[in-house]
Amino acid sequence: MSSVASNLAVIERRMAEAAARVDRRADEIRLLPVSKTKTPETVLEAHAAGYRRFGENKVQEASAKAEVLSGVEDIEWAVIGHLQTNKARDVARFASEFQALDSLRVARELDKRLQREGRRLEVLVQINSSDEDQKFGLPPGEMTTFTRELLSFDALDVRGLMTLALFTDDHVRVAACFDVMRDVQRELQDADGGGWEELSMGMSGDFELAIEHGATCVRVGQAIFGDRLDPNDYWPGITG
Ligand SMILES: *Cc1c(COP(=O)(O)O)cnc(C)c1O
């Protein structure tokens, strides 16, 4: 077994144990391997272990990998990092999912480009659950107005919410971020009579806690693929 495959097996087991601690079913939680900075060969190791969708935070790097691996019929890409409007066209071409929607400008541009490509995109709205200035994402209080506007974009399948919690060892404060997300999700579900099922939260350092607090998708990079590389070392010009 490759080290990627054995790491995936360990994460799957830890996810199942976290789910069991709070009486949740393991199969309602998806693991999104985050392959940023990693080579296409490394992505293929995870593909061989059964994974089909991979998270990338930079559009240029993601679309380059998507291109190289376009012969792999069932591979899919999730863009999980902040998007500038001028990159929306690229995302509309190759991505299956975008987890970091936080502006109507980007939503409008994505929708327009997707219509042209005849494609659709699963979308999660990014929330700034930690109230840090440097974080992307909408303040929780702005969600209700934002979501009303989102309904007009036909090519966007709005599935739920995403967040990056505080980076700290203080579990209480990290868990507070996750709980903010659950509150926002409940408010939206009450207002809309359902929907918003996806809660993408938790990374290598906090995915178990995130599961205990309601995550339906965890985005795990380093715990699967090891330390991040500088992609320009193996692929000059891949990031820009
Ligand atoms: C890199 C990244 C992750 C994964 O982080 P790890 O600590 O490597 O697990 C998750 N979410 C986002 C948005 C990222 O950019």
Side-chain angles (χ1 to χ4, degrees), residues 38 40 59-62 64-65 230-240:
K38 298 296 170 176
V59 174
Q60 194 166 325
E61 182 181 344
K65 276 181 216 175
D230 181 347
N232 285 299
D233 288 346
Y234 67 82
W235 197 342
I238 188 176
T239 59

Side-chain angles (χ1 to χ4, degrees), residues 143-158:
M143 267 310 281
T144 13
T145 13
F146 184 77
T147 57
R148 220 167 292 134
E149 309 266 348
L150 270 190
L151 293 175
S152 58
F153 302 119
D154 292 333
L156 304 183
D157 275 332
V158 181

